[in-house]
Amino acid sequence: MGNGDRLKQSLKLWQVVMMGLAYMTPMVVFDTFGIVSEMTKGHVPTAYMIALIGMLFTAASYGKLVRVYPTAGSAYTYTQKAINPHLGFLVGWSSLLDYLFLPMINALLTKLYLSALFPEVPSWIWVIVFVGIVTFLNLRSVKVLANFNTVFVLIQIAIMAVFVILVVRGLHNGEGTGEVLTIQPFFTDDIQLSALVAGATVLCFSFLGFDAVTTLAEETPNAVKTIPRAIFLTALWGGVIFITASFFIQLFFPDMSRFNDPEAALPEIALYVGGKLFQSIFLCTTFINTLASGMASHASVSRLLYVMGRDNVFPKKWFGYIHPKWQTPAFNAILVGIVSLSAIFLDLVMATSLINFGALIAFTFVNLSVINHFVIREKEHKTIKGFINYLVLPLIGAGLVGVLWVNLETSSFILGLSWAAIGFCYLLYITKAFRSAPPQFEMEKTQLYVQKDA
């Protein structure tokens, strides 16, 4: 039933970008502001600019590879095709940490937010309700899902616009710096480059999700043109939102003296800027944030599992299944929903550690895949343009990701390497101790939406 069907090609550029922005969650800027403002001594917007520049190098590498391999497998497919099938499996397995546990984190955050608002309701109920809504919407067509996410992203942007208006009013009344036209949040005499880099390292994780749009390649007509643009626009517009919002927050709070807990500054930011009513509205919007991110991340991991199932790395009957009516990977969506229910038991620190390791694995090998495919195999580095595009820029991207590796917390390494070890054992099993290559799905040229040279 449905095993021969394909994912439905129905997404437009703006829908893919909105899915990426929903995955990233624009309002995450408020969650990290207090921590990074302390680290950078009041220069959060500048740290965001550094983080954005760093992420755009990796975004460019994704864009190059999706033109060659316009399928839904993201870093798994790119490494598999451009470097080595065995390594591709391990990258895909490790990337599952990023994709698989982010829907669970959104369920966990929803539980924390709503339990604080309604302490009399058992917390596990919020997890079940949240996971049920997200799973149901993911079972339906991806176009419906994209439209929902568009609405949720626009709500977040609208709330942030109101926030900016309230900040400007407060500045005119003598709050914070007392002026709007100032470069103080970006630069002061005591600014320190090392502190900015440390802050940017934290903020880079706010950009997780720009790469997730690659998993929508097979549901996007003319994917080799649309998806690279969507990747770049998702990272760019996400960065613009982060920089703009952090600029106005920093104007209102030039230092952290007003906060009781800089690591949980969001409620106090809303309270000081707009009062109790705005704070209540602001906190309610956080549920929309998690719902949007939950739906987008749920969709991404369902499609990564679908590609690995179609390759027969995982049982094709289940993981490679497409629902004949909705044309979505229905069994995978249900499986991800079941995994997300673990939010009833797990804590935020463990889940976040798992995500960071998986994301950095994907970023690292996407940059290396560009070099291996275009430089080592295709020899396209012999011109100045090719040398810069296919060697210099990916090397810079890999180097900037290396900075993130250096600053990764120990728990992420331990949990991530443990997960990778499990994947390595499974790889030994399916390849008969490397005597054969992992199964791969070879898409026929007639199935590609446009040819490589389009």
Side-chain angles (χ1 to χ4, degrees):
M1 178 180 172
N3 284 325
D5 293 334
R6 290 167 50 197
L7 296 167
K8 185 177 181 180
Q9 301 174 37
S10 60
L11 295 177
K12 297 180 173 64
L13 173 64
W14 64 269
Q15 291 173 315
V16 179
V17 172
M18 285 297 179
M19 287 282 281
L21 289 175
Y23 196 113
M24 288 169 63
T25 314
M27 288 183 68
V28 73
V29 61
F30 295 95
D31 293 314
T32 56
F33 174 80
I35 300 170
V36 179
S37 186
E38 275 197 323
M39 295 175 66
T40 61
K41 294 180 170 41
H43 300 97
V44 176
T46 308
Y48 263 118
M49 291 179 67
I50 295 173
L52 173 61
I53 292 170
M55 287 297 100
L56 286 178
F57 283 101
T58 297
S61 290
Y62 273 99
K64 293 178 179 73
L65 289 168
V66 78
R67 290 188 176 95
V68 182
Y69 308 112
T71 65
S74 193
Y76 159 70
T77 296
Y78 306 151
T79 309
Q80 177 195 72
K81 304 294 186 184
I83 301 180
N84 178 272
H86 297 92
L87 187 59
F89 170 82
L90 291 174
V91 169
W93 179 270
S94 298
S95 297
L96 282 175
L97 286 174
D98 174 18
Y99 289 110
L100 192 58
F101 283 93
L102 189 57
M104 185 271 289
I105 280 188
N106 286 290
L108 181 56
L109 289 172
T110 298
K111 180 181 74 172
L112 295 175
Y113 293 148
L114 295 182
S115 294
L117 291 173
F118 306 100
E120 68 279 0
V121 179
S123 60
W124 59 267
I125 290 180
W126 300 124
V127 174
I128 292 176
V129 171
F130 177 87
V131 171
I133 294 172
V134 170
T135 303
F136 173 76
L137 291 174
N138 266 276
L139 286 171
R140 305 305 298 267
S141 76
V142 72
K143 189 171 184 179
V144 171
L145 188 67
N147 290 337
F148 267 103
N149 267 323
T150 298
V151 172
F152 292 152
V153 169
L154 292 177
I155 289 173
Q156 292 181 63
I157 293 174
I159 289 293
M160 294 170 78
V162 172
F163 175 85
V164 168
I165 293 171
L166 293 173
V167 166
V168 172
R169 185 189 69 176
L171 293 172
H172 285 311
N173 292 332
E175 293 279 4
T177 61
E179 55 182 336
V180 177
L181 301 178
T182 176
I183 63 170
Q184 180 176 325
F186 290 106
F187 180 82
T188 58
D189 292 336
D190 63 343
I191 194 170
Q192 296 179 357
L193 181 60
S194 59
L196 289 175
V197 172
T201 300
V202 174
L203 295 177
C204 278
F205 293 111
S206 300
F207 288 86
L208 300 185
F210 75 84
D211 61 312
V213 301
T214 59
T215 63
L216 303 174
E218 292 182 42
E219 292 160 284
T220 307
N222 201 9
V224 296
K225 290 185 177 180
T226 303
I227 294 298
R229 293 175 62 194
I231 295 168
F232 182 82
L233 289 174
T234 298
L236 179 62
W237 284 112
V240 169
I241 292 171
F242 292 149
I243 292 168
T244 303
S246 62
F247 172 77
F248 283 100
I249 304 171
Q250 197 78 80
L251 287 177
F252 204 94
F253 304 100
D255 57 58
M256 295 291 98
S257 58
R258 298 179 71 177
F259 295 109
N260 293 318
D261 182 6
E263 293 188 8
L266 184 149
E268 291 184 279
I269 290 173
L271 176 63
Y272 291 135
V273 170
K276 284 192 173 294
L277 177 60
F278 181 73
Q279 183 191 43
S280 299
I281 296 172
F282 203 83
L283 290 175
C284 287
T285 308
T286 57
F287 174 70
I288 294 175
N289 303 345
T290 55
L291 190 60
S293 181
M295 290 194 300
S297 56
H298 198 117
S300 296
V301 68
S302 298
R303 281 142 185 84
L304 177 57
L305 289 170
Y306 162 71
V307 173
M308 297 181 83
R310 187 177 61 188
D311 284 0
N312 216 16
V313 170
F314 297 146
K316 184 175 182 179
K317 180 179 179 181
W318 302 100
F319 290 91
Y321 173 87
I322 295 294
H323 193 279
K325 179 179 179 182
W326 299 326
Q327 291 184 281
T328 58
F331 289 148
N332 294 339
I334 294 171
L335 174 64
V336 176
I338 294 171
V339 173
S340 298
L341 291 175
S342 62
I344 297 173
F345 313 105
L346 291 182
D347 61 74
L348 194 57
V349 174
M350 178 179 292
T352 304
S353 297
L354 291 168
I355 282 181
N356 291 345
F357 183 90
L360 292 186
I361 285 287
F363 290 173
T364 300
F365 281 96
V366 164
N367 283 301
L368 296 179
S369 293
V370 170
I371 296 171
N372 201 69
H373 178 82
F374 291 101
V375 175
I376 297 176
R377 287 185 181 176
E378 302 295 330
K379 312 296 183 185
E380 294 189 26
H381 64 294
K382 296 181 179 180
T383 64
I384 294 176
K385 181 180 178 181
F387 182 78
I388 294 173
N389 278 337
Y390 302 129
L391 184 61
V392 175
L393 297 183
L395 280 176
I396 294 174
L400 293 171
V401 174
V403 175
L404 299 182
W405 276 115
V406 171
N407 289 274
L408 193 65
E409 60 272 18
T410 303
S411 59
S412 292
F413 268 116
I414 295 172
L415 292 171
L417 290 175
S418 299
W419 175 261
I422 295 172
F424 183 78
C425 292
Y426 182 67
L427 179 62
L428 284 175
Y429 169 72
I430 63 173
T431 61
K432 298 179 174 60
F434 299 121
R435 287 194 292 271
S436 62
Q440 295 184 58
F441 177 83
E442 296 295 340
M443 183 175 285
E444 297 177 2
K445 289 186 177 180
T446 54
Q447 289 180 285
L448 295 177
Y449 309 133
V450 292
Q451 298 299 320
K452 177 182 175 181
D453 59 353

